[in-house]
Amino acid sequence: MTDSTITITASDASHIEKLYEFGERLSESKDKSQNVKDYQGIMDAAKTSIKAKQLAAQLIPSSRFGYKRSGDCRYFCKDTPEYLSKIVDILVQLLAAEEIVERDAVHKALMSLLRQDVKASLSALFKHIGTVEEPSTDELIREKVLSFVRDKVFPLKAELLRPQEEMERHITDLIKKSSEDVTGAEFRMFMDFLKTLGIFGHKAPSERMKELVEIIEGQADLDSAFDVTQVSDTDHIDRLISCLYMALPFFLRGASSSRFLNYLNKHIVPVFDKLPDERKLDLLKALAEISPFTLPQDSRQILPSVVQLLKKYMPRRRSGEEMNFTYVECLLYTFHHLAHKAPNATNSLCGYKIVTGQPSDRLGEDFSEFNTDFIERLNSVEDLTRATMKKLTQGMAEHNKAMAAAKSDEAKDNIKTQKQNTTTGLRTCNNILAMTKPLHLKTPSFIGDKSVNLSWKELTKPSVPSTTIQAGVKRPAAAANGSGNMAKKGRGAGGLHNQLVNRALQGISYGGRGFQ
C-alpha cells in the first residue's frame, strides 16, 4: 500500500490502513464531535512511526475532514480539550508542507486552536522550539514553528493573549526557557517581542526590567569563565558586548548593571591587551555607555581597572607613544561617571584630596606621586588633542575645497564620508578637552550628567556593535531559522567607521609618525 507522499513498508501497513479508515469515517460524518474515537485513533496511530505521523498530520487539516467547512479539529477540541495539545503536535508536522494551500490550511487550523485555548496551544508549539533540558529533535520543524510564531502569533498578541497579564506572563516563561538554546537572530526576535508586552511597558516596575536583564545575562553567559586563548571565547566576548547593548535600555529604566560590570572587571579587563583591536573599541564604548547607570559600590570596585587603562592609553610627555583618541574619550567618560558615584576612591588612585568623612578617604596617606603622574598624562593628552584639532580643522578646509571641485557623484560621496569622519574626530577631541579640564584640580568636579555627549552617539542612536557574534550557548552556528550569529547592528561607529575615524586621528604623538 502506498500514499502519494509516503512510502509504506509492510510493518506500517496496518496502521496506515487504520488511518484511512478513521479519515473516511470523519469525512462522512456531519457532526465531528461524535467521532472522538476516530480522532483518538489517529493520534494513537501517529505514535507508531514517522510515516504514520506524517500521514496523520496530512489527514487532520485536509479536505478529507471537511476542513474547508470551518475546521473540524477546532470543534473536536472544543468538546474534548484534553486532546488539543496532541492535535497541535500533529499539525506541527505539516508546517513543512511544500504546497501553499496545504500549509495555509495548517496555519488556519493552528490559529483556530490558539483562539480556542491559547495557553495549551502555545505550550504545545514551544515544545517544538525546545529548551536546553528538552531540545528539539527536528531542526526543520523547529524552524517552521519559530517562523509561525514570529509571523502569525506575535503580530496578533493583543487578540490572542487574553487575559492579558496572565497570558503575557505565560508566553514570557515559555520564551525564557527556549532562549537558553537559540541562535542570535532568534534571541533578538524574542527580546524584541518581550519589549512590546504590556507587563514590560513604560509603567512596569524596575523588577520587570531586572527580569529582562536576567534573560540577557543568561545569553551573555556570565556564569562561564573567559579564556581569551580559546577560539570559542572570541565568540563569547562578542556575545557579551552585544548583550551589553541589548541591556542598555533596561539599565536606563532602573535595572542593575552589576553582574555585567563585575564580569568585565574580573574576566575581561585583565586580558584587555590580548583582545582584537575592534573588540577593544566596542568594549570600551559599551563600558562608557553603561557607566552612568552604575551603583556606587560597583563604581568603586571597577574604578582601579579603569584608571589602569587610562594610564596605559594616556601617554606621558615625550614618551614617543601614540594615542588612540577614541579609547581615551571612552575611558575619560567612564572615569568621570564612576568617580561621580565614588569620588573619594580617586584619592588613592589619582592622588586627589576629596573629603567625604569616610575612612576610605585615606587622607593621611601620601599619593602625591600618583597625582603628579596623572596630571602629566592629562597635559600630554591635551597637547596631542589640540595639535590634532588643528590638523583636522585644516583637513576640513581641504575637504571643502575638494567638494567644490568634485565632478562625479562618487568623488562627492567619498569627500562627504571624509568630512563626516573629520567632524566625528573633532567631536572626540572636544570631548577629551572638556573632560580633562576639571581633572587638574586637587578636588576635581566629576561629570555625572549628560553635558558630554559621546562623539559616536551624535551620528546614530546606538544599538549593538557591528561585528558578528555567536549567540546561544548550545545551539550550533548552522542552526535553522537564519544564521547562528547575532549580527550586531551598526551603532554609527561600527568597524569600518571606527577605522576611518582612527585614520583621521592617527599619527599625532611625541616622536611618533607625522599626521596622515
Side-chain angles (χ1 to χ4, degrees), residues 77 360 444 482:
C77 291
S360 53

Side-chain angles (χ1 to χ4, degrees), residues 12-41:
D12 297 322
S14 62
H15 298 298
I16 298 301
E17 187 173 354
K18 280 288 186 182
L19 281 169
Y20 277 119
E21 290 177 6
F22 297 140
E24 288 173 4
R25 282 201 293 270
L26 285 164
S27 180
E28 296 170 357
S29 175
K30 295 181 179 180
D31 183 1
K32 301 299 188 292
S33 64
Q34 301 302 314
N35 296 81
V36 173
K37 291 184 178 179
D38 293 316
Y39 276 104
Q40 183 63 55

Side-chain angles (χ1 to χ4, degrees), residues 215-226 233 236 239-240 243 259-260 263 472-473:
I215 298 174
I216 299 172
E217 288 172 347
Q219 179 72 4
D221 203 13
L222 299 184
D223 292 324
S224 299
F226 180 79
D233 272 359
H236 190 177
R239 184 169 61 249
L240 174 66
C243 287
R259 286 200 67 202
F260 275 109
Y263 190 88
V473 178

Side-chain angles (χ1 to χ4, degrees), residues 13 24 57 92 98 100 118 146 148 161 170 186 188 213 218 252 282 284 362 381 394 405 429 432-433 435 501 508-509:
E24 288 173 4
V92 159
E98 294 182 3
I100 296 177
V118 64
L146 277 165
F148 175 77
L161 300 182
H170 179 63
E186 293 161 3
R188 185 178 304 286
V213 168
L252 286 162
D282 281 338
L284 291 178
R362 300 176 68 175
V381 166
Q394 292 172 350
C429 291
I432 289 174
L433 293 177
M435 290 186 287
V501 172
I508 299 297
S509 64

Side-chain angles (χ1 to χ4, degrees), residues 137-150:
T137 57
D138 189 323
E139 284 296 329
L140 177 61
I141 294 299
R142 180 181 181 277
E143 176 188 359
K144 297 300 181 181
V145 172
L146 277 165
S147 297
F148 175 77
V149 169
R150 180 193 63 214

Side-chain angles (χ1 to χ4, degrees), residues 227-244:
D227 184 356
V228 75
T229 64
Q230 299 297 318
V231 175
S232 61
D233 272 359
T234 301
D235 300 329
H236 190 177
I237 188 68
D238 290 336
R239 184 169 61 249
L240 174 66
I241 295 168
S242 187
C243 287
L244 270 170

